[in-house]
Amino acid sequence: MSSKRLRISRPTKYELLRLKRRLSTYRRMHRILRDRLFILSQEFFRLLIQAKSLRENVNRLLSDAYSEYVACRASHPYPAFYLDVISEPRVLVKERSIAGVRGILVEYVEEEEARGTGCIAKVSESMRRALREVSKLAEVEETLLMLGEEIRRARRRVNALEYILIPRIESTIRVLESRFEEKEREEKVRLKKVKTMLEARRGTSIEGHG
Amino acid sequence: MKGMDDELEKLLRGDLSRINSHLPRARKTLRELLGERDPHVVLLNGSRHYFRRDELERLASIIPEEEWDRIRLPIIIEVSSGLDKGPVGIIRDPVAARYLSRITGAEYSEGKPLLLYAPQLSHLRSIFETVTEYAFTYVP
């Protein structure tokens, strides 16, 4: 934790008041940024669990789809077979916001008509199911990357406030307050001495006249 | 050292001024959004936020049709750690509060905002990811 102090040009009471206001602003900033960090982290972990489940699903679906493809291919040994099974996939990528972080929405555009018959239709359907899940997974993983970046940035801000700016200001305020207290004490002592001296002089002059 | 602190403060103030710039300029009703081909709203920072159609349809299935013109989307969840130890989410929209309390299991009183704790927030967000959005506020 930083124990350095801010350099103050004029150690006056007005400056002390300014510092206290600044401290209050920093504490407010810290609370808001910390809340945001909490929400971003919560979103991140929620999507992480989703990504794990989607990844397992995608692996399973792709494995099944490829097995069916290979089996069907054996009975349709012509080069352009894959074109009968599925056309080039189309996805729409749109933007969205998650607590201020720019994320994406990926929509897999379904083909209107079913393809082929028999094993071709079956393989086509398996491939489409797999692609649907792949597009969902792409959306979630990309969003996770963006969230991760933003969480790193947000954490640095929160730490800067918590460990540098706020402790520095608090330390400076403490020093200024103790200086003012000391000055006040010195002033009181000085006044007391002056008062004692004046009283002593008054006492001596009365005796002299008397 | 003073220079670095000033720079840091400038950076943080900049961050704070942008913290809610992801909120929409104007929200749309559920009915309007269901009627659009690409339902979306424009945000304060100029970008767009698209809604998932299946989320809109799911919301439409739990809210009666006569309320579709009263509920504006995205539903804003105000986040503040003022009251308890951790942040809470507050939904002030009365229509949203009434119906979303049934999904989250949160306590709801008519006319009062809906308070959501972290697990309830997470559950709500997992169902309505694009239909809800966070706003960050400060409660002293």
Side-chain angles (χ1 to χ4, degrees):
Chain A
M1 193 157 114
S2 172
S3 59
K4 294 193 178 83
R5 293 193 294 272
L6 300 173
R7 260 191 305 165
I8 306 293
S9 49
R10 302 175 309 262
T12 57
K13 287 210 169 166
Y14 176 68
E15 196 62 35
L16 178 65
L17 200 65
R18 271 187 59 197
L19 282 174
K20 284 185 174 174
R21 271 194 220 127
R22 213 160 134 191
L23 177 64
S24 159
T25 305
Y26 280 1
R27 284 193 175 135
R28 199 167 62 232
M29 271 173 163
H30 177 253
R31 260 253 294 269
I32 294 174
L33 291 176
R34 198 191 57 195
D35 287 347
R36 184 168 181 258
L37 181 61
F38 176 85
I39 292 294
L40 288 175
S41 306
Q42 192 171 251
E43 289 289 308
F44 183 87
F45 286 115
R46 183 179 62 77
L47 286 173
L48 192 64
I49 293 167
Q50 210 178 324
K52 184 173 178 283
S53 147
L54 275 171
R55 176 60 74 173
E56 284 165 2
N57 220 17
V58 160
N59 288 345
R60 184 180 48 81
L61 285 171
L62 281 176
S63 169
D64 292 344
Y66 281 130
S67 308
E68 282 170 17
Y69 177 84
V70 164
C72 195
R73 179 85 169 81
S75 50
H76 297 82
Y78 54 91
F81 166 72
Y82 71 94
L83 288 173
D84 282 349
V85 166
I86 198 147
S87 61
E88 205 171 289
R90 280 181 56 225
V91 290
L92 287 175
V93 180
K94 300 176 185 172
E95 49 181 352
R96 62 165 170 157
S97 165
I98 304 168
V101 178
R102 268 168 123 160
I104 56 168
L105 270 184
V106 178
E107 269 177 30
Y108 172 65
V109 181
E110 301 268 5
E111 284 177 331
E112 282 166 12
E113 292 165 9
R115 283 180 166 255
T117 52
C119 80
I120 291 180
K122 206 173 162 204
V123 170
S124 177
E125 184 50 38
S126 301
M127 287 287 187
R128 270 194 290 188
R129 245 198 323 261
L131 283 170
R132 227 177 282 137
E133 290 298 291
V134 164
S135 62
K136 280 186 203 166
L137 180 64
E139 176 190 304
V140 171
E141 289 191 344
E142 188 60 29
T143 308
L144 273 173
L145 282 171
M146 292 174 181
L147 271 174
E149 239 347 279
E150 188 61 30
I151 285 171
R152 256 214 313 249
R153 215 175 288 134
R155 186 171 288 131
R156 277 202 293 267
R157 308 283 198 262
V158 170
N159 287 345
L161 276 165
E162 200 170 315
Y163 298 115
I164 299 174
L165 291 179
I166 290 176
R168 264 196 201 141
I169 281 208
E170 282 175 339
S171 172
T172 311
I173 287 173
R174 267 196 304 270
V175 164
L176 277 180
E177 279 179 338
S178 71
R179 257 195 223 165
F180 288 138
E181 263 174 45
E182 209 182 301
K183 269 189 184 165
E184 264 174 55
R185 269 199 304 268
E186 282 173 9
E187 192 61 25
K188 270 188 191 159
V189 165
R190 206 172 56 78
L191 283 172
K192 229 178 169 178
K193 268 190 180 165
V194 165
K195 196 176 166 188
T196 319
M197 266 170 50
L198 285 173
E199 277 174 2
R201 268 194 210 157
R202 221 179 285 135
T204 322
S205 69
I206 288 169
E207 276 176 18
H209 285 307
Chain B
M1 203 56 67
K2 190 183 180 210
M4 198 171 83
D5 282 356
D6 285 346
E7 286 303 317
L8 204 48
E9 190 179 325
K10 222 188 278 180
L11 198 70
L12 290 165
R13 282 187 192 278
D15 263 6
L16 211 61
S17 68
R18 282 189 299 271
I19 206 162
N20 284 322
S21 64
H22 61 280
L23 294 175
R25 279 187 195 156
R27 296 192 290 165
K28 293 180 184 173
T29 62
L30 179 58
R31 196 182 297 279
E32 280 173 333
L33 289 167
L34 284 168
E36 286 182 12
R37 207 176 124 228
D38 280 325
H40 71 278
V41 286
V42 179
L43 307 180
L44 290 171
N45 58 23
S47 63
R48 292 181 183 199
H49 173 80
Y50 285 85
F51 298 92
R52 277 206 193 94
R53 184 156 288 282
D54 59 340
E55 284 183 27
L56 291 173
E57 284 165 3
R58 194 169 186 173
L59 190 66
S61 71
I62 62 171
I63 293 179
E65 202 175 333
E66 55 267 23
E67 307 265 41
W68 288 4
D69 291 311
R70 288 185 58 207
I71 185 165
R72 292 197 166 266
L73 301 176
I75 295 166
I76 303 295
I77 304 172
E78 288 177 33
V79 176
S80 173
S81 63
L83 302 166
D84 284 316
K85 283 181 191 161
V88 292
I90 303 169
I91 297 179
R92 295 190 192 276
D93 186 316
V95 178
R98 192 184 311 132
Y99 295 102
L100 295 183
S101 65
R102 296 174 195 175
I103 295 176
T104 58
E107 270 182 47
Y108 172 69
S109 312
E110 194 69 41
K112 288 196 176 157
L114 182 67
L115 242 62
L116 297 171
Y117 293 95
Q120 293 161 328
L121 265 178
S122 189
H123 177 60
L124 179 64
R125 286 284 298 173
S126 65
I127 303 170
F128 290 122
E129 222 177 22
T130 57
V131 157
T132 56
E133 185 53 278
Y134 292 109
F136 299 96
T137 59
Y138 175 78
V139 175

